[in-house]
Amino acid sequence: MSELQKQLADIDSVAIVCHYQPDPDCLASASAFQWIAEQSGVEEATIFYEGDITHQEVLSFINVFEIALERIREEDLKSYDCIALIDHSVSGTPIGLPDNVPVEFVIDTQEVGENTDVAFVDSRSDYGTTSTILTEYIDDQESTPSTLIMSALLFAIHHERLDHVRYPTLAEYKAATTLYPTADIDLIEEVYGSSLTPSTLDAIGRAINHREKQGSTLVSSIGRTTESGALPQAANYLLRLEGIRTVLVMGIVDGQLRLSAQSFDPRIDIGDVVEQAFGSFGSAGGHPDRAGGQLPLGIFAESSAADVAIEEQLFTVVANRFFGALNLDDRK
């Protein structure tokens, strides 16, 4: 029995908390942890999330792989023995947790502070996805999860690392080999085929047309949108542009300024850069290659000017701060 199973065997219920607006890696990992908890005798293991899930591919992922999750309400979490934070740190947006429910499990690819008082911590910064870590735990079990869970994990590992060869490690390839025989490739292809809606395509078009470049870094805007999931999709698309290694996309969603950044430049920790540039204005941060932010709009624009003028002002401020954080802004 693994140390994780030993810790789980002593509890009756666990609230599995995803990061803000969870992505496939987070959701697949949470689903795998839920299965391991149930195998270890935990009577109630529920996946919780916060934020609005509008990314069409993520919505399809949840539907196709039948992942049951609930929106966080503090009174709900209080009824659980403890909390598990699974792939929790990527979004840069903190999630409020009740003070009287202890965090007993943390599994992530981000380093956890040495002074943490958590019973079980598995943080592997040398791994590309949290799904890879959970696959290794599953591989040690006597039984095997459902095809849906195995397929979700395989999709997440490919989507996050292997498809774009974005900092994959040997562990990702080994995990994919473990998952492949049990996964349903038709279901995986179904999710891949549902990533774009007309509104998302329009947002990507705006990002293409409204961009500014400094060296190998690009800043762009999708303007006002109801689909926050369009930001990372636009960032991922722009990162394919020849000579571009780092991208930041901004957008105005529900009266807030949202940011999505990606980079495959090994010299840059994009999570640190985004936090440095925007952390003092709101929540911002993430992983070395992916980051996000959610900032109050009023901090950047209190003008009563027309929306277009406000958006241009926001774009200029965001671009200046981002290029400046990378020591690329030579404009006066």
Side-chain angles (χ1 to χ4, degrees):
M1 180 181 292
S2 69
E3 184 62 30
L4 174 59
Q5 288 177 285
K6 292 178 182 177
Q7 293 288 342
L8 286 166
D10 293 332
I11 63 174
D12 295 323
S13 63
V14 57
I16 305 166
V17 180
C18 299
H19 67 63
Y20 190 86
Q21 294 180 180
D23 59 6
D25 184 28
C26 183
L27 292 167
S29 301
S31 184
F33 183 90
Q34 182 183 49
W35 179 82
I36 293 172
E38 292 168 351
Q39 295 298 303
S40 303
V42 178
E43 295 179 3
E44 187 174 6
T46 308
I47 302 172
F48 288 95
Y49 77 100
E50 195 170 276
D52 297 320
I53 301 176
T54 62
H55 195 310
Q56 183 60 32
E57 193 171 58
V58 178
L59 292 171
S60 177
F61 180 91
I62 292 169
N63 180 57
V64 169
F65 298 126
E66 300 178 11
I67 297 176
L69 64 166
E70 299 181 12
R71 189 183 293 272
I72 288 178
R73 294 187 303 176
E74 187 173 342
E75 58 269 28
D76 293 335
L77 295 184
K78 289 180 179 178
S79 66
Y80 288 81
D81 291 343
C82 64
I83 291 171
L85 302 181
I86 308 299
D87 191 42
H88 188 79
S89 60
V90 67
S91 71
T93 301
I95 292 178
L97 301 174
D99 294 332
N100 61 339
V101 182
V103 175
E104 295 288 2
F105 301 90
V106 174
I107 301 179
D108 205 334
T109 56
Q110 288 283 80
E111 291 290 346
V112 178
E114 295 181 358
N115 296 325
T116 183
D117 192 27
V118 178
F120 181 89
V121 176
D122 189 345
S123 59
R124 309 186 196 180
S125 59
D126 56 337
Y127 274 46
T129 71
T130 305
S131 291
T132 304
I133 302 173
L134 268 299
T135 298
E136 291 187 3
Y137 281 110
I138 284 175
D139 200 29
D140 288 336
Q141 304 291 312
E142 294 182 359
S143 55
T144 302
S146 68
T147 296
L148 292 174
I149 292 176
M150 301 292 270
S151 302
L153 289 166
L154 182 58
F155 176 91
I157 291 171
H158 267 279
H159 184 268
E160 292 294 313
R161 297 295 165 188
L162 300 185
D163 289 350
H164 308 293
V165 197
R166 184 173 59 186
Y167 300 131
T169 70
L170 181 59
E172 269 72 66
Y173 289 104
K174 287 182 176 178
T177 301
T178 298
L179 296 165
Y180 182 84
T182 312
D184 188 325
I185 304 305
D186 289 338
L187 291 180
I188 292 174
E189 290 180 348
E190 183 177 341
V191 180
Y192 272 112
S194 63
S195 60
L196 285 180
T197 63
S199 56
T200 299
L201 192 62
D202 289 341
I204 293 174
R206 290 193 295 272
I208 292 172
N209 291 319
H210 194 180
R211 65 188 192 274
E212 183 170 345
K213 178 176 176 290
Q214 290 271 342
S216 62
T217 300
L218 194 73
V219 176
S220 186
S221 172
I222 64 172
R224 296 180 183 270
T225 181
T226 58
E227 295 192 35
S228 58
L231 277 89
Q233 286 178 280
N236 186 62
Y237 187 87
L238 291 172
L239 201 58
R240 302 174 189 176
L241 185 64
E242 183 180 6
I244 297 300
R245 300 176 68 83
T246 301
V247 170
L248 173 73
V249 176
M250 59 160 278
I252 299 173
V253 185
D254 296 330
Q256 289 191 316
L257 184 67
R258 300 286 182 89
L259 305 171
S260 180
Q262 297 185 27
S263 177
F264 59 88
D265 189 331
R267 301 167 299 175
I268 295 173
D269 185 320
I270 198 64
D272 287 347
V273 171
V274 170
E275 183 177 8
Q276 175 188 340
F278 306 106
S280 60
F281 301 105
S283 57
H287 286 306
D289 61 332
R290 292 172 296 132
Q294 182 173 322
L295 317 178
L297 189 59
I299 284 186
F300 289 92
E302 298 178 356
S303 170
S304 59
D307 285 351
V308 173
I310 291 176
E311 290 177 26
E312 285 303 316
Q313 178 186 353
L314 283 167
F315 182 76
T316 300
V317 172
V318 168
N320 284 343
R321 292 197 66 87
F322 188 64
F323 287 136
L326 290 167
N327 297 315
L328 293 173
D329 194 357
D330 56 3
R331 294 165 298 176
K332 301 298 182 184

